[in-house]
Amino acid sequence: RHGNIVACALANKLARVVWAIIAKGGDYRPQPRAVN
């Protein structure tokens, strides 16, 4: 079950990157991460 969640999260991230590249013509900037 845990592996399935990780795979789904990675697929979601990849899909967002691909969508951003297609929609914005290659201008993709990931959101800044919170630094602990």
Side-chain angles (χ1 to χ4, degrees):
R1 170 145 173 94
H2 177 69
N4 194 12
I5 293 172
V6 172
C8 196
L10 287 174
N12 183 18
K13 189 175 197 74
L14 182 62
R16 288 196 311 172
V17 170
V18 172
W19 177 85
I21 290 172
I22 292 172
K24 298 176 185 171
D27 184 21
Y28 171 73
R29 284 179 302 253
Q31 292 101 356
R33 286 172 203 239
V35 178
N36 292 342

